Amino acid sequence: MGLVAKRVSDKRILKLIRGFLTAGVLADGLVSPTEEGTPQGGPLSPLLSNLMLDVLDKELEKRGHRFVRYADDCNIYVRSQRAGERVMAGIEQYLAKRLKLKVNKAKSAVAKPSIRKFLGFSFTSGKQPRRRIAPQAIDRFKAKIRELTRRTGGRSLSQVAKELSCYLIGWRAYFGFCDDLDQWIRRRLRAIAWKQWRRGRTRFAELRRCGCRPGLGGANRRQSPRPLAAQQQPPLAIAPPTAFFVSLRLATLAPKRVA
């Protein structure tokens, strides 16, 4: 509150902020007092973290460090592992004495940029590193897609596509386009179609309707009954085609649609 008061002179705003901080927490029907911290997910947390950590920014600039910070997430870039350990120890000590803050040991480490992530992104290794989506973010994405494209629950492909699009639009707005993931999603949806076709005759008819000729790499009634195994075979690598998913208004992660 002292740091806020240096920037804000309106006592009504100061009173409002203090009210947020001391409002208490409702858990299991009981209100408990709050002695530290801000409401989880509230707009006050990033505001106050920027006010407090502005002091840290100036200290890092004073020391000549290269760094990037977003709210309470900060990366400092140095030339070696030894330098990183020395800088981290110094910053931990500075935060504890100057701002009375503790560094989260579980989320903090000294490591290469290709290993660590920042806001869902990391860098490739090599002489000319490039930005990439962090592997941890990809793993979370795939786990969510597997949940949305599970082959149980009695949902039609159009229902699955609708639920999937809501998630994909938000993910694409943050991370951007990724053609490889788009192809992986279509494979998941083709596996759903394969299971829903169920019978051999239906599968054969649907493959023909999608444009697969009888002699095209095993487009026949003896296709593997397992959805993911069958999907790896040539006909199901293209059937249903991308145009079919476009007709379902499925959001895409590819910059350009591939027929």
Side-chain angles (χ1 to χ4, degrees):
M1 289 302 300
L3 292 173
V4 177
K6 290 181 179 180
R7 295 172 177 265
V8 179
S9 59
D10 193 329
K11 293 184 178 181
R12 294 172 299 176
I13 296 180
L14 296 175
K15 183 178 180 181
L16 179 63
I17 294 176
R18 185 176 292 277
F20 268 107
L21 295 174
T22 59
V25 178
L26 180 63
D28 299 326
L30 299 175
V31 178
S32 302
T34 52
E35 298 179 354
E36 62 181 5
T38 59
Q40 182 70 27
L44 191 61
S45 179
L47 172 65
L48 293 184
S49 66
N50 279 330
L51 284 174
M52 290 196 68
L53 295 178
D54 181 62
V55 178
L56 174 64
D57 293 345
K58 293 179 179 178
E59 179 64 21
L60 292 175
E61 291 175 354
K62 180 181 177 181
R63 297 185 184 187
H65 291 308
R66 295 182 178 182
F67 69 96
V68 57
R69 183 179 66 80
Y70 184 88
D72 61 346
D73 196 354
C74 182
N75 279 8
I76 304 173
Y77 300 100
V78 296
R79 292 184 177 275
S80 66
Q81 178 80 14
R82 184 176 180 180
E85 293 172 354
R86 183 179 66 253
V87 170
M88 188 170 183
I91 294 302
E92 286 183 359
Q93 186 177 12
Y94 175 82
L95 288 173
K97 290 185 176 181
R98 178 69 174 81
L99 297 177
K100 304 299 187 291
L101 295 175
K102 294 181 180 179
V103 173
N104 190 328
K105 296 286 187 179
K107 296 183 178 181
S108 302
V110 178
K112 295 181 179 180
S114 58
I115 298 176
R116 302 294 295 172
K117 66 181 180 69
F118 182 70
L119 303 178
F121 292 93
S122 65
F123 295 93
T124 59
S125 57
K127 294 182 179 180
Q128 295 181 340
R130 298 176 58 187
R131 191 190 69 172
R132 66 173 181 176
I133 302 174
Q136 300 93 323
I138 296 293
D139 291 341
R140 288 195 299 269
F141 172 83
K142 288 190 172 183
K144 182 64 176 181
I145 296 300
R146 289 189 181 97
E147 177 185 344
L148 293 174
T149 58
R150 61 187 184 278
R151 295 184 297 278
T152 58
R155 299 172 300 159
S156 66
L157 269 178
S158 60
Q159 289 175 317
V160 174
K162 184 178 181 180
E163 295 175 8
L164 199 57
S165 293
C166 293
Y167 178 71
L168 293 178
I169 290 172
W171 195 90
R172 185 183 65 196
Y174 184 82
F175 287 102
F177 296 104
C178 189
D179 190 44
D180 292 341
L181 291 177
D182 204 56
Q183 295 175 13
W184 178 75
I185 292 170
R186 288 199 297 269
R187 290 199 296 269
R188 299 281 307 178
L189 292 175
R190 284 166 181 147
I192 295 176
W194 181 248
K195 182 176 182 180
Q196 292 182 351
W197 291 343
R198 299 178 69 86
R199 300 179 182 276
R201 290 183 178 180
T202 303
R203 289 171 174 171
F204 180 74
E206 291 292 342
L207 287 173
R208 293 294 303 275
R209 187 172 67 85
C210 291
C212 295
R213 298 186 301 276
L216 179 60
N220 52 53
R221 297 181 180 86
R222 296 183 179 181
Q223 286 278 7
S224 172
R226 294 180 299 167
L228 289 178
Q231 185 272 323
Q232 298 295 333
Q233 300 180 25
L236 288 181
I238 60 173
T242 304
F244 172 75
F245 299 118
V246 174
S247 68
L248 296 179
R249 296 184 178 181
L250 175 67
T252 178
L253 297 181
K256 295 181 180 179
R257 295 190 180 279
V258 181

